[in-house]
């Protein structure tokens, strides 16, 4: 190991998303030196917008970010509404039916991830973590079998190295270094799905008090999510089986429109709505094969958390919670 010109901290966190910023906040609050290396400049786009109460009132209360979230004006989500199963009519569940979260904590938020992730990252800064954005980790530093730090390139193209007691890979499903713990990433044989998604202005809302609920609607080709991010902005995504990939790989605009036409409930809710066509929300995006787990999560001096470690089908909105809880 060549430690020449290397600074030293206690923990290097690769990635400033919800998992990385949560871990950095908690470790910094214990008085340890934490460095977050984030490859992008925040705010940046990310999917995964429907949260759970245990994230908002549990994890974010532990890190000190809950009050900032409460002041951000995010849409309140009291539960979920589904057109699923044998019943042709949508049915609703409420978080308040659980005795564990009944009362003032029986809600979550629908969030624009650009704003939500920024709040969590700024919270990590306030808690004492150092954050370097536009810094891409390219490799780890090894001392025998143990990981002892990371090498990264900054926005100017300069290469640096930092020593640490632990390196945490929280850099998501596109991680460049997750393989370095060993093992393999194994993809679900059942959830071999593709998601095609975009954003609409002017879509309908569920009747009160459930206007902020996520609406999930099953149809012959898969299922839709319909997430009210604001009174007028809606995140809409179609999740389809792998064998229907050819439909999406052609013209995504046409494919999404055809899928909407297949699902009467979503078609009705988008009647009169217009797809956003500018800014970060202006493009249609595709994600595929996103249900997976690593066969190994750690090696001496290095651990994977969040989407760098595993992810499951998002139908129950578990992604951000599992990332932060991990």
């Amino acid at each position: 190991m060549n430690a020449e010109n290397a600074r030293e901290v206690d923990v290097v966190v690769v990635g400033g998303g919800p998992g990385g910023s949560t871990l950095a906040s908690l470790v910094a609050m214990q008085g340890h030196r934490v460095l977050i290396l984030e490859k992008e400049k925040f705010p940046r786009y990310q999917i995964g917008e429907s949260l759970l109460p245990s994230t908002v009132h549990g994890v974010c209360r532990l890190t000190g970010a809950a009050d900032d979230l409460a002041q951000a004006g995010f849409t309140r989500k009291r539960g979920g509404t589904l057109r699923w199963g044998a019943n042709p009519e949508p049915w609703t569940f409420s978080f308040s039916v659980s005795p564990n979260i009944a009362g003032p904590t029986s809600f979550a938020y629908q969030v624009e991830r650009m704003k939500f992730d920024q709040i969590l990252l700024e919270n990590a800064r306030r808690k004492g973590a150092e954050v370097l954005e536009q810094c891409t980790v390219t490799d780890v530093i090894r001392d025998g079998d143990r990981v002892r730090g990371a090498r990264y390139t900054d926005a100017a193209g300069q290469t640096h190295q930092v020593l640490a007691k632990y390196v945490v890979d929280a850099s998501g499903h596109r991680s460049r270094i997750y393989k370095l713990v060993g093992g393999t990433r194994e993809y679900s044989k059942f959830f071999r799905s593709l998601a095609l998604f975009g954003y609409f202005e002017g879509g309908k809302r569920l009747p009160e008090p459930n206007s902020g609920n996520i609406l999930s609607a099953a149809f012959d080709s898969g299922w839709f999510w319909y997430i009210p991010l604001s009174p007028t902005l809606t995140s809409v995504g179609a999740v389809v089986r792998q064998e229907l990939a050819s439909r999406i790989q052609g013209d995504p605009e046409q494919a999404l429109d055809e899928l909407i036409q297949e699902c009467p409930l979503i078609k009705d809710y988008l009647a009169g709505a217009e797809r956003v066509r500018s800014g970060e929300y202006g493009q249609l995006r595709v994600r595929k094969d996103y249900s997976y787990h690593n066969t190994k999560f750690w090696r001496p001096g290095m651990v994977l958390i969040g989407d760098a470690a595993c992810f499951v089908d998002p139908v129950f909105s578990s992604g951000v919670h599992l990332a932060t809880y991990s």
Side-chain angles (χ1 to χ4, degrees):
M1 177 183 66
N2 181 9
E4 185 179 358
N5 299 324
R7 57 181 297 198
E8 187 163 2
V9 297
D10 294 315
V11 178
V12 168
V13 180
V14 185
S21 59
T22 295
L23 183 140
S25 296
L26 293 171
V27 174
M29 289 164 67
Q30 297 298 317
H32 302 294
R33 299 167 298 168
V34 184
L35 173 64
I36 298 176
L37 297 172
E38 166 56 48
K39 69 177 180 180
E40 298 188 54
K41 176 68 176 175
F42 275 42
R44 56 89 178 95
Y45 175 82
Q46 185 58 273
I47 194 63
E49 300 147 329
S50 196
L51 303 188
L52 295 175
S54 45
T55 313
V56 174
H57 307 291
V59 176
C60 291
R61 182 63 61 187
L62 289 173
T63 64
D67 290 341
D68 290 331
L69 295 179
Q71 296 169 12
F74 293 129
T75 297
R76 283 200 173 197
K77 169 188 176 183
R78 301 184 184 278
T81 299
L82 299 93
R83 212 314 295 167
W84 209 281
N87 190 345
E89 296 300 318
W91 50 276
T92 294
F93 70 87
S94 298
F95 296 132
S96 60
V97 302
S98 168
N100 294 322
I101 56 175
T105 61
S106 59
F107 70 90
Y109 297 119
Q110 313 284 21
V111 298
E112 295 183 61
R113 285 288 301 276
M114 288 185 288
K115 299 176 182 178
F116 174 76
D117 290 15
Q118 180 83 59
I119 290 171
L120 296 194
L121 189 64
E122 290 303 323
N123 181 68
R125 278 193 173 103
R126 287 197 304 273
K127 292 299 184 287
E130 181 183 356
V131 180
L132 297 180
E133 298 177 69
Q134 296 178 290
C135 289
T136 301
V137 172
T138 57
D139 199 1
V140 297
I141 298 170
R142 302 165 182 82
D143 185 4
D145 186 50
R146 186 176 182 86
V147 171
R148 279 287 287 123
R151 293 186 175 88
Y152 66 94
T153 303
D154 63 22
Q158 298 295 312
T159 299
H160 308 266
Q161 55 183 5
V162 55
L163 299 180
K165 297 175 182 175
Y166 298 97
V167 172
V168 177
D169 183 9
S171 58
H173 74 286
R174 293 182 177 177
S175 167
R176 298 184 177 197
I177 62 170
Y178 76 91
K179 295 180 180 179
L180 300 180
V181 300
T184 58
R185 180 176 285 185
E186 296 195 351
Y187 292 85
S188 168
K189 295 179 180 179
F190 181 77
F191 291 116
R192 298 299 299 273
S193 303
L194 294 91
L196 171 62
F197 51 97
Y199 295 82
F200 291 78
E201 281 282 350
K204 293 181 182 180
R205 294 291 179 261
L206 290 160
E208 294 293 353
N210 299 316
S211 63
N213 280 14
I214 185 172
L215 173 61
S216 299
F219 66 115
D220 287 346
S221 296
W223 65 276
F224 268 97
W225 75 70
Y226 188 95
I227 301 174
L229 297 177
S230 78
T232 61
L233 180 66
T234 308
S235 171
V236 180
V239 179
V240 300
R241 301 185 301 274
Q242 185 185 37
E243 56 265 30
L244 299 177
S246 59
R247 293 180 58 179
I248 291 176
Q249 291 167 347
D251 181 349
E253 189 82 46
Q254 179 181 344
L256 183 59
D257 184 64
E258 289 177 352
L259 291 166
I260 290 170
Q261 299 304 312
E262 274 187 48
C263 186
L265 183 60
I266 298 300
K267 178 183 177 181
D268 175 59
Y269 269 68
L270 289 177
E274 294 288 336
R275 191 173 76 76
V276 178
R277 297 180 182 276
S278 61
E280 287 287 358
Y281 294 145
Q283 68 180 93
L284 294 178
R285 292 177 165 91
V286 177
R287 288 279 298 273
K288 64 178 183 177
D289 290 342
Y290 43 71
S291 295
Y292 58 84
H293 71 277
N294 264 51
T295 57
K296 190 174 180 181
F297 296 117
W298 66 277
R299 63 180 286 186
M302 182 178 176
V303 65
L304 309 180
I305 68 169
D307 290 1
C310 57
F311 188 82
V312 295
D313 186 84
V315 68
F316 291 121
S317 301
S318 60
V320 172
H321 182 68
L322 293 179
T324 55
Y325 186 66
S326 72

